[in-house]
Amino acid sequence: MDWIERIAGIRRWTRAGERAPHKPLLLLYVLGRFQHHGNQPIAFSAAEAELKRLLKEYGPARDTSPGYPFHHLTSDGLWLVNSTEGHGSPGSELGRLRETQAAGRLHPDLARALTEEPHLLARIARYLLDANFAPSLHADLCLMVGLDLETLETAETTATNGVAVRRDPAFREQVLMAYEYCCAFCAYDGWLDGTAVGLDAAHVRWWAFDGPDELANGLCLCVIHHKLFDKGVLGLTADRTVTVSARFVGRTAAARDMVLSLAGRPTREPQPGLEAVEAAHIEWHGRQVFRTPARNG
């Protein structure tokens, strides 16, 4: 059985293309538990707060109940839920999940495969990360769910329906060169022994959501602004000025200088003759990642 293919086919709630990483987040959480405790039942009452935090940190801006993935993942043949009412989930309503002492665990076939194939857990985790989240978020997300990053595959290759998909290794250098090795938001341009340090090639539309490895989808950003961009603290307007989420709070001078002062600032443009970020990718980031509303200044 190809478990990667099974996981790639999990059913998602959809509305106008909105991101819905609820089931992938639950699976990553469960894999972290499996890595350390095996396939012990996970009581909803014990997992609720952690799932809520994961959804808030890594899900879309709208609020989502942790009961939603805990219940609905059962429809994909990967996850079983039992309660005091017997076999089967009592539903996604929080009160019912608590009252019936609902608990979930991986399907025994998947748990057996994870035990028999030592590398399968890493492959599944890597697939879930690559298919649903920007690379700058992977390490923090794994730490939050308790997955050991050192066991994950390092090759930036994943499989979808049996077809290998590989990242373009030239993307980073293409983007950094276009922006002259300078952060498009803050103008940071550090070097060490002839090598640029602390600079990333950021995807505006995430690669996991059909964002191409092309200059028109890239920005050269310093590592802190890359992380804030992928977390939705920072965004872009159609005319490529920086937006700052009104939800962001920073009280120190460092936060004001590094983040709040960026509101309304034009981004650095690429070298003459090279493509700037396409409006369609900016619009995707604004809908799917940026935490609205934007500050007025």
Side-chain angles (χ1 to χ4, degrees):
M1 180 178 296
D2 189 334
W3 287 105
I4 300 295
E5 186 173 338
R6 285 279 299 275
I7 288 169
I10 61 176
R11 290 183 284 275
R12 309 281 189 92
W13 175 91
T14 59
R15 182 178 66 189
E18 184 176 342
R19 284 195 306 129
H22 313 84
K23 291 180 179 179
L25 284 169
L26 173 59
L27 278 171
L28 286 166
Y29 172 77
V30 173
L31 290 175
R33 292 286 297 264
F34 185 92
Q35 188 176 26
H36 298 286
H37 306 292
N39 201 28
Q40 294 296 315
I42 301 172
F44 179 76
S45 59
E48 180 180 359
E50 293 176 86
L51 290 175
K52 186 173 182 179
R53 183 182 172 202
L54 282 168
L55 289 165
K56 184 175 182 179
E57 289 268 342
Y58 296 100
R62 62 181 178 82
D63 289 335
T64 304
S65 167
Y68 175 86
F70 201 91
H71 165 70
H72 287 288
L73 187 60
T74 59
S75 66
D76 296 291
L78 305 168
W79 175 247
L80 303 176
V81 174
N82 293 323
S83 71
T84 55
E85 295 183 341
H87 295 296
S89 172
S92 61
E93 199 273 319
L94 296 180
R96 293 282 297 147
L97 288 165
R98 296 171 189 146
E99 292 164 7
T100 61
Q101 300 176 37
R105 59 189 175 92
L106 291 173
H107 191 285
D109 291 344
L110 175 54
R112 187 179 307 110
L114 289 170
T115 302
E116 295 174 352
E117 302 175 44
H119 301 297
L120 181 59
L121 188 148
R123 289 176 55 228
I124 291 174
R126 176 57 64 192
Y127 173 79
L128 290 167
L129 290 166
D130 283 343
N132 295 280
F133 305 99
S136 70
L137 305 179
H138 291 184
D140 288 348
L141 180 49
C142 283
L143 286 173
M144 188 176 288
V145 299
L147 279 169
D148 182 357
L149 277 174
E150 292 186 359
T151 67
L152 298 179
E153 299 168 357
T154 56
E156 291 188 350
T157 304
T158 187
T160 304
N161 297 326
V163 179
V165 181
R166 185 174 295 277
R167 305 294 294 271
D168 184 353
F171 175 71
R172 181 179 186 275
E173 184 61 24
Q174 181 186 29
V175 171
L176 266 60
M177 180 185 67
Y179 287 87
E180 300 181 284
Y181 303 90
C182 186
C183 176
F185 287 179
C186 72
Y188 166 83
D189 62 349
W191 288 71
L192 176 67
D193 294 334
T195 302
V197 291
L199 290 170
D200 292 338
H203 287 78
V204 178
R205 183 185 183 104
W206 293 357
W207 185 81
F209 290 86
D210 301 320
D213 284 337
E214 297 173 356
L215 182 57
N217 188 41
L219 279 173
C220 178
L221 296 178
C222 68
V223 291
I224 187 168
H225 289 141
H226 186 184
K227 178 66 70 67
L228 294 177
F229 188 63
D230 285 344
K231 289 285 285 185
V233 172
L234 301 176
L236 290 173
T237 64
D239 60 357
R240 294 189 287 277
T241 60
V242 182
T243 54
V244 178
S245 173
R247 302 186 189 198
F248 175 81
V249 176
R251 300 180 179 87
T252 65
R256 290 194 298 272
D257 293 345
M258 297 176 67
V259 183
L260 298 175
S261 67
L262 296 179
R265 180 183 297 183
T267 62
R268 182 184 183 90
E269 293 293 321
Q271 293 186 42
L274 297 181
E275 291 181 282
V277 180
E278 285 184 2
H281 300 318
I282 294 173
E283 191 271 337
W284 181 91
H285 185 276
R287 282 189 296 106
Q288 300 284 2
V289 180
F290 183 69
R291 300 295 177 123
T292 57
R295 286 177 174 265
N296 292 324

